[in-house]
Amino acid sequence: MWEYTDKVKEHFLNPKNVGEIEDADAVGEVGSLACGDALKLSLKLDEKERIIDAKFQTFGCASAIASSSALTEMIIGKTLEEAEKITNEHIAEYLGGLPKEKMHCSVMGRDALEKAIACYRGDAEKQVEGNIVCECFGVTDLEIERAVRENHLTDVESVTNYIKAGGGCGNCHEAIEQIIHSVLHDESAPLKQQPRLTNIQKIKLIEETISREIKPGLERDGGDIELVDVDGGRVLVRLCGSCASCKMAQVTLKDFVESKLRELVSPELTVEEVD
Amino acid sequence: MAVIYMDNNATTRVAPEVVEAMLPYFSEHYGNPSSMHSFGGEVAQKITEAREKIAALLGAKPNEIIFTSCGTESDSTAIHAAIRSNPEKTHIITSRVEHPAVKNRFERLSKQGYRVTFVPVDHQGRLDVDYLFDHLTPDTALVSLMWANNETGVIFPIGEIAKKLSGRGIVFHTDAVQAVGKIPINMDETPVDMLSLSGHKLHGPKGVGVLYVRKGTKFTPFLLGGHQERGRRGGTENVASIIGLGRAAELAGDMMAGENTRVRRLRDRLETELIARIPNAFVNGDPAHRLPNTTSIAFEFVEGESILLMMNQYGICASSGSACTSGSLEPSHVLRAMGVPFTAAHGSIRFSLSTYNVASEVDLVIEKLPPIIERLRSMSPFGRQSAGCAPAQR
């Protein structure tokens, strides 16, 4: 049995704003029978683009119905511009949280809202953007990327919980992992593009990177590392603990320490070991 | 609110007679049946009696009964024994609609180098027996097939298959967890090598199961330990539960006729009335070869979890083949193997009755469910499709 909050139960058993607005200004439809859930959202706007009415029709489980009901309650009275800022996390929060396996229900709400707004603004019906990665549920790489970015997802299982991708045959797990990896990699990218660091900034950043990213990795194997000096692009370090006597130390230095520092601080750095 | 329990394929109420039989073995008679003193020896005698009662229900001999901790352990033990006793063979066969206890074990073995044949079923859940026999090879170590399906109640022709497999040097195991106590089973006439059953599916306690191993079948223990169960399953006996299971087996034998008349009539009325009152609803599974207590009904254009939670408001307990109830995203592998369309699989509900159900409970479900389906359909963007149009194609 799922652990639904009282608010989810309330919105499921007594959903608000069920139905379809006859002369709707905007309609957003997502999902399908095959996927197991679908939502049709219709909106009525005033001349100032304020949502004066919203109705939904949902096929799905309790949390899908509750998420739809919550969404309509959240957006009525808001301008399109305000409504646009609502994320799936907001919907889940409004409901007092959703079981993690059910987060995709809140994503469906956000998607329907987005489609409705696009429909109102006359944006051409979005072509399927990107390439389908998950064949079972028709999820594209761009959608996966967005879910990973917005919800800080770090593994395939949570991607599946949020947008279903990977929940069927499982053939796409590797592709999803690659997307997660590239997004995580990307997020640290801005550091690379920073303007030239002053010497002090550079040393600080090197220190931080070593203690946050590098030390924990080495400590797991009983090793340790100490920053001795920074001379221009040369980073001088001392390996201690089990690293000091390890035959693989040079490999560790180049493949792990140096590549981390290049990635997170500056691509010009080289790492050297000193006694 | 009274509970209307129609989820007996998930678990059953422990019969009051069973509870009564068990209680003294927690408090007064707590001896270890392996002990030399008579305080333990008396308990061992009770286990012997329980073994005889189970053997009687199955038409087996008492020394063919091994007590285990559950149906899953029985299945794992049987599969383990079959492949370990035939180490030179690398092909094993099962069906596409097995319980996870067998399905996942076979999937694991396929990753470990075994060649696995999954025998398909037709749209009514009937096993493709010809496919099974076409795929036997001299390399086949094991065939494992469920006797009755937990989701649809469909019964496989285990007797017929056992006779045709007999004498080929292939171990034949059947997961009879759902069948025992509901339909007659006689090992004397059915040359099955191993059979699994579970206590809590036949009004016994949870945490006890049985593996029947025909005399002469090669066996390798799964749980190694003491000499309990004649060295075939280590671990101190779950005394109270074994005694309870013995009593439950006795009761099941007595109640089998009622199960196949009174319970069957209740099930049939529930099914017929729901289908008559709710448009776009149909039964999953072969109505002619089905457990007397089970019906799986697909309600198109609605989702199972929503149905269950709305029925829950009235205390009605059933279960669903929908994805949303299981935490996975795809509907039940059983319904998919049968080719039930996704539109219907997501909205499939299983009612499984027992001898404790009464007519007024069936009446209540017949009264409460149609408005629930109607309400959910009215909420659904696909609801229109269900209004008055022809039933979906199968």
Side-chain angles (χ1 to χ4, degrees):
Chain A
M1 183 132 200
W2 297 110
E3 288 192 10
Y4 287 133
T5 64
D6 288 344
K7 197 126 189 216
V8 172
K9 286 182 206 157
E10 173 57 27
H11 275 272
F12 164 62
L13 292 171
N14 301 299
K16 307 278 172 23
N17 311 309
V18 176
E20 197 174 3
I21 299 174
E22 286 293 319
D23 52 344
D25 295 307
V27 176
E29 272 185 274
V30 290
S32 74
L33 271 172
C35 292
D37 45 23
L39 163 57
K40 182 174 181 182
L41 177 70
S42 52
L43 307 177
K44 189 77 194 153
L45 308 173
D46 68 7
E47 63 285 357
K48 288 180 181 147
E49 293 197 339
R50 190 172 290 279
I51 299 168
I52 51 173
D53 197 10
K55 288 209 184 304
F56 80 89
Q57 289 179 306
T58 290
F59 159 78
C61 54
S63 53
I65 291 172
S67 294
S68 311
S69 166
L71 172 71
T72 56
E73 288 284 278
M74 290 166 78
I75 59 175
I76 292 175
K78 284 200 166 65
T79 62
L80 280 193
E81 207 174 311
E82 290 163 343
E84 231 171 351
K85 299 204 177 81
I86 291 174
T87 65
N88 66 289
E89 297 243 301
H90 294 137
I91 299 172
E93 268 166 37
Y94 182 92
L95 289 167
L98 284 172
K100 69 180 185 343
E101 294 85 351
K102 296 285 190 175
M103 285 304 288
H104 60 86
C105 297
S106 65
V107 174
M108 184 169 76
R110 195 271 324 267
D111 286 352
L113 175 62
E114 208 164 70
K115 271 208 172 169
I117 295 174
C119 144
Y120 171 75
R121 294 201 172 134
D123 297 353
E125 174 77 12
K126 275 193 205 165
Q127 304 294 320
V128 177
E129 278 184 33
N131 302 311
I132 300 271
V133 171
C134 168
E135 302 266 351
C136 299
F137 292 101
V139 189
T140 67
D141 48 359
L142 296 182
E143 290 169 302
I144 296 171
E145 215 178 291
R146 177 174 179 186
V148 169
R149 213 178 285 283
E150 289 184 351
N151 298 290
H152 312 289
L153 309 180
T154 53
D155 53 43
V156 176
E157 193 187 331
S158 39
V159 169
T160 305
N161 288 337
Y162 275 75
I163 52 171
K164 296 190 167 187
C169 66
N171 285 343
C172 62
H173 284 188
E174 209 167 299
I176 296 175
E177 253 164 39
Q178 275 169 12
I179 296 174
I180 296 171
H181 181 79
S182 71
V183 171
L184 294 180
H185 194 267
D186 248 26
E187 276 174 357
S188 52
L191 289 172
K192 272 195 241 169
Q193 290 143 18
Q194 272 172 7
R196 280 199 76 77
L197 301 165
T198 66
N199 268 333
I200 304 232
Q201 285 172 331
K202 184 164 67 188
I203 293 170
K204 270 202 168 150
L205 198 53
I206 291 172
E207 273 180 335
E208 266 176 39
T209 305
I210 287 179
S211 69
R212 201 183 57 226
E213 301 284 335
I214 297 172
K215 263 178 182 268
L218 297 182
E219 279 166 4
R220 269 199 294 277
D221 294 327
D224 200 0
I225 189 167
E226 196 179 297
L227 179 65
V228 178
D229 200 1
V230 179
D231 178 11
R234 292 167 62 216
V235 181
L236 307 177
V237 299
R238 184 177 293 128
L239 291 173
C240 343
S242 62
C243 289
S245 55
C246 175
K247 290 196 184 98
M248 297 299 284
Q250 281 309 311
V251 179
T252 305
L253 218 53
K254 289 288 165 195
D255 280 9
F256 179 58
V257 181
E258 189 174 280
S259 72
K260 269 279 177 228
L261 288 173
R262 283 181 172 182
E263 179 189 326
L264 299 174
V265 184
S266 155
E268 280 125 47
L269 297 178
T270 55
V271 176
E272 293 172 32
E273 190 184 0
V274 295
D275 294 328
Chain B
M1 183 175 48
V3 167
I4 296 177
Y5 192 76
M6 297 195 180
D7 203 10
N8 287 278
N9 288 9
T11 195
T12 58
R13 171 185 176 178
V14 182
E17 298 90 330
V18 170
V19 176
E20 196 190 335
M22 290 171 71
L23 285 177
Y25 297 90
F26 291 110
S27 45
E28 301 147 53
H29 307 293
Y30 53 82
N32 187 326
S34 299
S35 298
M36 283 312 295
H37 42 70
S38 55
F39 185 63
E42 281 161 13
V43 175
Q45 177 54 34
K46 287 291 169 188
I47 289 189
T48 301
E49 286 170 29
R51 203 183 299 282
E52 286 164 1
K53 288 171 185 170
I54 288 150
L57 180 68
L58 298 178
K61 297 175 194 70
N63 61 8
E64 293 174 323
I65 302 298
I66 302 174
F67 289 111
T68 66
S69 66
C70 57
T72 298
E73 188 196 323
S74 299
D75 287 338
S76 268
T77 304
I79 296 166
H80 170 88
I83 60 177
R84 284 297 175 88
S85 310
N86 297 281
E88 70 293 349
K89 294 183 174 180
T90 59
H91 178 228
I92 50 182
I93 300 181
T94 188
S95 85
R96 286 181 58 195
V97 296
E98 295 298 311
H99 186 274
V102 169
K103 176 175 173 273
N104 291 346
R105 176 73 34 201
F106 270 71
E107 279 169 4
R108 171 68 65 87
L109 287 168
S110 93
K111 291 196 179 104
Q112 292 171 345
Y114 279 85
R115 207 158 55 74
V116 180
T117 300
F118 290 96
V119 181
V121 296
D122 69 6
H123 68 282
Q124 290 204 308
R126 291 174 297 210
L127 192 76
D128 189 339
V129 178
D130 291 338
Y131 187 99
L132 165 65
F133 283 93
D134 287 346
H135 285 77
L136 294 179
T137 71
D139 190 37
T140 307
L142 164 71
V143 174
S144 177
L145 296 169
M146 65 202 325
W147 199 309
N149 188 273
N150 48 314
E151 292 189 31
T152 59
V154 170
I155 297 169
F156 284 167
I158 294 298
E160 176 200 322
I161 295 168
K163 287 187 183 112
K164 284 172 77 178
L165 275 177
S166 178
R168 293 184 188 230
I170 298 169
V171 178
F172 184 32
H173 164 249
T174 180
D175 175 343
V177 163
Q178 295 294 347
V180 174
K182 293 175 192 150
I183 53 173
I185 283 177
N186 189 347
M187 287 297 103
D188 205 25
E189 295 167 358
T190 314
V192 161
D193 299 306
M194 291 192 266
L195 172 148
S196 306
L197 72 86
S198 167
H200 73 109
K201 308 286 194 196
L202 56 145
H203 304 291
K206 293 170 185 65
V208 64
V210 160
L211 179 64
Y212 159 89
V213 181
R214 181 175 298 277
K215 190 164 186 285
T217 305
K218 282 192 270 179
F219 188 81
T220 314
F222 185 62
L223 275 193
L224 279 176
H227 60 272
Q228 294 90 352
E229 302 300 295
R230 298 193 299 137
R232 292 180 297 176
R233 199 271 189 185
T236 298
E237 296 85 343
N238 182 357
V239 172
S241 292
I242 288 171
I243 290 166
L245 178 54
R247 185 74 182 101
E250 224 171 21
L251 293 170
D254 296 346
M255 292 189 299
M256 186 102 62
E259 182 90 32
N260 284 281
T261 50
R262 198 184 69 82
V263 176
R264 181 188 290 274
R265 277 199 296 271
L266 288 178
R267 187 275 315 265
D268 287 348
R269 198 160 75 81
L270 175 71
E271 183 175 281
T272 314
E273 288 292 323
L274 288 178
I275 302 258
R277 287 164 194 238
I278 301 172
N280 295 77
F282 57 82
V283 174
N284 296 312
D286 177 10
H289 300 96
R290 219 163 28 139
L291 293 175
N293 77 320
T294 309
T295 176
S296 165
I297 307 180
F299 302 101
E300 292 186 284
F301 314 114
V302 281
E303 202 284 322
E305 185 202 283
S306 293
I307 303 171
L308 291 182
L309 290 180
M310 287 207 170
M311 288 201 297
N312 191 49
Q313 293 288 102
Y314 302 107
I316 302 168
C317 307
S319 69
S320 150
S322 104
C324 283
T325 50
S326 62
S328 76
L329 290 167
E330 295 198 315
S332 117
H333 70 284
V334 174
L335 300 179
R336 275 185 294 143
M338 291 163 63
V340 175
F342 271 52
T343 53
H346 284 294
S348 287
I349 301 292
R350 175 191 71 189
F351 296 94
S352 45
L353 281 60
S354 84
T355 189
Y356 294 110
N357 285 117
V358 293
S360 61
E361 294 176 319
V362 170
D363 292 340
L364 191 107
V365 178
I366 293 169
E367 178 201 329
K368 297 296 182 191
L369 188 54
I372 289 175
I373 303 291
E374 199 181 313
R375 174 148 185 248
L376 288 169
R377 280 181 181 163
S378 75
M379 260 189 233
S380 158
F382 309 114
R384 260 167 298 155
Q385 299 177 16
S386 63
C389 28
Q393 297 296 309
R394 290 296 310 277

